[in-house]
Amino acid sequence: MQTDPHSLRSLLASRKAEIAASHRGGADGFLTCRALTSVADEAIRSACDCLPAGMMDTVAILALGGYGRGELCPSSDIDVMVLCATGDLLEAAGEAAKAVLHFLWDAGVDIGHSVRTVDEALGLHGKTFDSWTSMIESRFICGNAVLAGELYARIRMVIAQSSPEWFVGGVFQDVRVRHERYGSSVKLLEPNIKKSAGGLRDLHAAFWLYRGTDPQYFTPVRAGSCATKEFIDMLPARGLLDPEDHAVAVRALEFLLRVRHEMHYRRESQHDTLEYILQREVAEG
């Protein structure tokens, strides 16, 4: 991609218009997620390429949340973590983060970030459920790949050696609170496509339960993949889902993602509640 922020802004607008046109032409939900995620990855790498030589040698930039899973929607939040090895490198990592963020802001990319050492990232286990969830579904974008690999090896070790009660309890607590707020029935007339019962978050909850408690399900998220779909694809081979139910689950995930894409495009914002007034527009789309 371009290395000048203003040129990058124009190129991003062009790429996003192409992705929107592809969606309008019938692209499935997974394809649109992959395309949007790839554009965000390339923008971040372009920003990192503009840093002084050697600045990225001691840090790794990891995508978090839905961006980490490779499931970006048109108006999804883009969150990253700048990872460094030790506290001695925190200041340098913060400077790298600041330079990258300013470049991206000038290019029109709104991005959230955190800066952590490997030990700080691992210390989230047992303390902050949401943040630990972001750790286990994070994805390496650029920088020091060895450092990212060290984090993932140690996360796998934590999952293998720790008791699962804290994390399992956190997942079910999250489900209870979310269903109380957004609806616990799958027959809501105006559902939140992400957070109501039967929405995307319920599929993510299953993904987290396996990934966060069983090291055989904790594998680094690959660039160009949809991590939730890859998880669902693992289940039949391990005797946990029959082929018919697997096909239904994959179709459901793709459908929910495509509906969410359409909602974001229609409202030009992170709009996830399917109100009456929006239902006909989304159905037509």
Side-chain angles (χ1 to χ4, degrees):
M1 274 198 173
Q2 303 290 327
T3 54
D4 171 77
H6 301 293
S7 299
L8 180 59
R9 180 190 287 264
S10 298
L11 185 57
L12 288 174
S14 175
R15 290 278 187 91
K16 289 178 180 179
E18 291 172 0
I19 295 168
S22 176
H23 166 81
R24 289 273 173 262
D28 70 39
F30 300 131
L31 181 63
T32 302
C33 283
R34 285 197 297 271
L36 291 168
T37 301
S38 176
V39 166
D41 286 354
E42 291 179 43
I44 290 170
R45 292 190 187 106
S46 292
C48 291
D49 287 343
C50 293
L51 297 180
M55 200 170 190
M56 288 295 296
D57 291 348
T58 57
V59 300
I61 296 185
L62 309 180
L64 304 178
Y67 180 33
R69 293 190 306 273
E71 297 171 16
L72 272 188
C73 293
S75 295
S76 292
D77 295 330
I78 298 177
D79 292 306
V80 301
M81 179 177 68
V82 179
L83 181 72
C84 62
T86 66
D88 295 342
L89 298 170
L90 268 176
E91 184 176 350
E95 289 300 315
K98 186 186 298 183
V100 169
L101 291 171
H102 280 296
F103 185 98
L104 292 170
W105 289 335
D106 288 343
V109 180
D110 188 14
I111 187 167
H113 82 289
S114 58
V115 180
R116 293 190 177 101
T117 66
V118 171
D119 285 341
E120 286 173 340
L122 294 167
L124 297 169
H125 183 267
K127 297 177 181 176
T128 309
F129 172 75
D130 289 343
S131 297
W132 181 249
T133 300
S134 291
M135 288 300 104
I136 67 170
E137 60 185 2
S138 63
R139 175 176 54 83
F140 174 70
I141 302 173
C142 60
N144 190 321
V146 174
L147 179 62
E150 177 189 342
L151 174 68
Y152 292 137
R154 292 182 63 185
I155 288 176
R156 179 188 289 271
M157 191 178 302
V158 168
I159 292 170
Q161 296 178 351
S162 62
S163 172
E165 281 80 3
W166 171 76
F167 188 71
V168 171
V171 172
F172 280 99
Q173 175 66 10
D174 179 74
V175 170
R176 282 192 295 270
V177 170
R178 178 166 47 79
H179 286 181
E180 286 173 4
R181 180 173 179 182
Y182 294 98
S184 58
S185 170
V186 296
K187 297 183 179 180
L188 296 175
L189 297 180
E190 294 182 302
N192 183 297
I193 208 73
K194 179 179 178 182
K195 296 184 176 180
S196 295
L200 285 165
R201 267 292 181 261
D202 280 356
L203 285 168
H204 297 155
F207 169 70
W208 294 335
L209 283 169
Y210 280 86
R211 189 171 179 82
T213 63
D214 188 338
Q216 71 174 323
Y217 288 95
F218 182 79
T219 56
V221 179
R222 298 182 302 105
S225 69
C226 169
T228 308
K229 180 181 182 298
E230 286 206 342
F231 158 70
I232 295 171
D233 288 344
M234 290 181 184
L235 300 179
R238 296 176 180 178
L240 298 172
L241 200 63
D242 66 42
E244 183 178 347
D245 286 339
H246 167 262
V248 170
V250 171
R251 286 199 304 271
L253 176 59
E254 189 279 323
F255 174 76
L256 289 170
L257 288 170
R258 180 162 166 79
V259 168
R260 193 176 187 222
H261 296 324
E262 183 68 19
M263 293 169 70
H264 285 196
Y265 280 130
R266 292 280 178 172
R267 289 295 179 261
E268 298 182 347
S269 66
Q270 191 175 135
H271 191 94
D272 293 330
T273 300
L274 192 57
E275 301 103 337
Y276 288 126
I277 195 170
L278 187 58
Q279 290 174 9
R280 183 178 294 276
E281 295 178 39
V282 171
E284 290 171 351

